[in-house]
Amino acid sequence: MKFVSYWHDTAPAFAGGAEGPVSGHFDVAVIGAGFTGLAAARQLARAGVKVVILEAECVGFGASGRNGGHLNNGLAHSYLGAKAELGKERAIALYHALDDSIDTIEKLIAEEGIDCYFRRSGKLKLASKPKHFEAIVRNFEALNKECDPDTALLSPEDLSQEVVSSFHGAMLSKKSAMMHMGRYVVGLAEAAVRHGATIFEGAAVTEHHETNGVHTLQTTRGSLTAANVIVATGAYTTKNFAWFRRRIIAVGSFLIATRALNEAEVQAVMPGNRTCVNTMNIGNYWRLSPDNRLIFGGRARFSATSDQRSDEKSGAILRESLERIFPQLKGIEIDYCWGGLVDMTADRYPRAGFQDGLWYAMGYSGHGAQLSTHLGMMVADAILGRADRNPMQNYPWPAVPGHFGKPWFLPLVGMFYKAKDMLE
């Protein structure tokens, strides 16, 4: 078993990083070479802006290369819950932004010729308990009427053609998609460079200062100045950007990938070949990879640490969950086990905008694979003076009380959600 992201291990290496020391003056400096930062840089470079990306590790090192490979439209909340919290207009705008984000990715892939197995698969939200399906039905009725007619309800009988497991019905979101995340992030980086962006890997930002509207960024490879800075680091945001650290909760998300399944095994497990998520508070999500591995993930443990020891512990928990949902795969070989950090906000809504002289987009709360490209481009458009299409514009983002970067409270949160899963 390899303790490495399947997406990293099966993607070509990015070879377009700049050599030599970090230096010079740029119109825009982007911190973070994940989907958000790369999409913003590509958008800016296409408009003739002199843009640089500073990445502490390598392209796609963080959440962009460590997720489940889903491009799911829909919110982290129920539509009814979002409407109650945000108001109907903003809830619909945010929902449509997630729809649009998949269109944006599909168009970008076509424009840049990125070979990343993009496919409109549809997503199943699977009811783990009978009363969960009752909640799905209520949400579906409002959502289908007010926001997204490309949804459908599936009965347990319908599901026999989709996923061979015991669930109590599902909602199908037809616009959802999947792709190979590693191949996409490398293709996006190559596109940004092709349009004129400069990418420095291994250039962690250690200091940031602003004087008279000019930003100075000190990195482990040298320093530069810039007129604008975009912080696109999500859960990997460092202490020198404390305003964001107090508002982002880094939560571990862990995954395993089985050996490749043969066609008979695919039909016995996932004949519908869609992205799937269940309705438990400590839930799981899964899909088939391009080479027919079952990629199966979840929170597993409420931890803000992702290293081999932590990933291995979480992988054992995920195997138990996989075998409980798919007993027909009991004892199957696990070829990959990995983890990463997800940038959660306290209310699980994303944020993007301008704060204290810095542009930013983050807080995707488990929906960043699809939304980050879109919001990164929105931030770039705002810098370019184009119309601001940010669905969360001017929405309050208070600091998490008692939180200064290390989420000490995660075990308590985990206990709370475990209790809810037992009782609900």
Side-chain angles (χ1 to χ4, degrees):
M1 181 166 59
K2 294 183 178 181
F3 290 97
V4 61
S5 166
Y6 167 81
W7 309 120
H8 288 160
D9 197 48
T10 56
F14 171 66
E19 298 181 355
V22 171
S23 62
H25 180 77
F26 294 83
D27 299 321
V28 182
V30 180
I31 306 173
F35 297 153
T36 303
L38 292 170
R42 171 185 173 272
Q43 187 83 335
L44 291 164
R46 292 177 76 200
V49 172
K50 187 179 180 183
V51 57
V52 62
I53 304 173
L54 302 171
E55 166 56 47
E57 300 288 344
C58 59
V59 162
F61 174 83
S64 298
R66 298 175 182 274
N67 55 69
H70 299 210
L71 299 173
N72 294 334
N73 69 321
L75 306 169
H77 315 66
S78 72
Y79 169 67
L80 289 172
K83 189 167 70 165
E85 288 187 57
L86 301 177
K88 182 177 180 179
E89 184 177 348
R90 193 187 292 272
I92 290 175
L94 181 56
Y95 191 98
H96 285 166
L98 282 149
D99 279 358
D100 294 344
S101 71
I102 303 174
D103 294 338
T104 294
I105 291 170
E106 186 174 32
K107 181 181 177 183
L108 191 157
I109 288 168
E111 288 176 348
E112 301 294 352
I114 301 173
D115 180 11
C116 61
Y117 303 102
F118 177 92
R119 182 172 70 85
R120 294 275 186 168
S121 58
K123 175 194 77 172
L124 291 173
K125 185 167 187 177
L126 295 152
S128 299
K129 299 180 181 181
K131 58 185 175 182
H132 292 186
F133 187 60
E134 295 170 9
I136 284 176
V137 171
R138 290 193 297 272
N139 187 62
F140 164 79
E141 289 173 347
L143 179 63
N144 187 266
K145 179 181 178 181
E146 299 177 7
C147 193
D148 187 0
D150 289 331
T151 50
L153 279 179
L154 302 184
S155 69
E157 292 73 29
D158 296 328
L159 287 178
S160 64
Q161 303 302 312
E162 297 285 352
V163 53
V164 184
S165 185
S166 179
F167 288 99
H168 302 275
M171 185 173 78
L172 170 62
S173 299
K174 299 177 184 179
K175 296 172 186 170
S176 296
M178 59 171 67
M179 67 181 176
H180 189 298
M181 298 298 179
R183 296 179 70 90
Y184 174 70
V185 76
V186 171
L188 185 56
E190 290 172 344
V193 170
R194 192 160 54 245
H195 290 292
T198 301
I199 299 177
F200 286 102
E201 296 179 295
V205 175
T206 56
E207 293 182 37
H208 164 252
H209 305 286
E210 181 186 2
T211 304
N212 297 325
V214 177
H215 299 264
T216 300
L217 295 168
Q218 180 69 46
T219 81
T220 50
R221 288 182 59 182
S223 64
L224 56 75
T225 57
N228 294 278
V229 172
I230 302 174
V231 182
T233 45
Y236 296 81
T237 301
T238 51
K239 294 179 181 179
N240 42 335
F241 296 100
W243 193 90
F244 301 105
R245 289 257 294 183
R246 292 202 62 197
R247 289 157 174 80
I248 289 293
I249 305 165
V251 180
S253 191
F254 305 93
L255 296 107
I256 54 177
T258 69
R259 63 160 172 79
L261 307 182
N262 60 42
E263 188 56 34
E265 289 170 325
V266 168
Q267 293 304 311
V269 176
M270 287 281 291
N273 198 4
R274 302 186 190 275
T275 63
C276 294
V277 59
N278 65 13
T279 53
M280 302 299 285
N281 289 294
I282 304 179
N284 295 107
Y285 50 88
W286 60 90
R287 56 158 286 190
L288 292 171
S289 69
D291 57 353
N292 282 340
R293 302 172 188 276
L294 186 65
I295 298 177
F296 187 91
R299 296 290 174 263
R301 296 163 54 247
F302 276 71
S303 169
T305 301
S306 176
D307 54 27
Q308 182 170 328
R309 182 170 175 269
S310 178
D311 294 353
E312 188 171 12
K313 286 183 178 180
S314 299
I317 295 170
L318 288 173
R319 175 189 271 280
E320 292 177 5
S321 298
L322 183 152
E323 293 181 349
R324 183 167 57 252
I325 293 172
F326 296 111
Q328 62 270 46
L329 293 181
K330 186 174 178 62
I332 193 168
E333 296 93 333
I334 303 298
D335 283 354
Y336 291 91
C337 176
W338 74 96
L341 301 179
V342 176
D343 49 327
M344 305 288 287
T345 57
D347 57 14
R348 295 188 301 155
Y349 294 113
R351 298 299 199 281
F354 186 75
Q355 176 66 41
D356 294 341
L358 298 168
W359 297 92
Y360 66 92
M362 59 181 73
Y364 300 119
S365 301
H367 284 63
Q370 59 273 35
L371 190 56
S372 51
T373 296
H374 196 58
L375 273 190
M377 292 170 66
M378 282 186 182
V379 170
D381 284 344
I383 292 173
L384 292 168
R386 298 171 181 170
D388 191 344
R389 298 173 292 124
N390 175 14
M392 298 301 289
Q393 183 181 12
N394 300 324
Y395 193 73
W397 193 12
V400 178
H403 175 50
F404 298 94
K406 185 175 181 180
W408 52 268
F409 44 81
L410 283 184
L412 299 175
V413 174
M415 291 172 62
F416 171 74
Y417 282 121
K418 284 179 182 178
K420 286 192 72 173
D421 278 338
M422 291 176 64
L423 297 171
E424 293 181 349

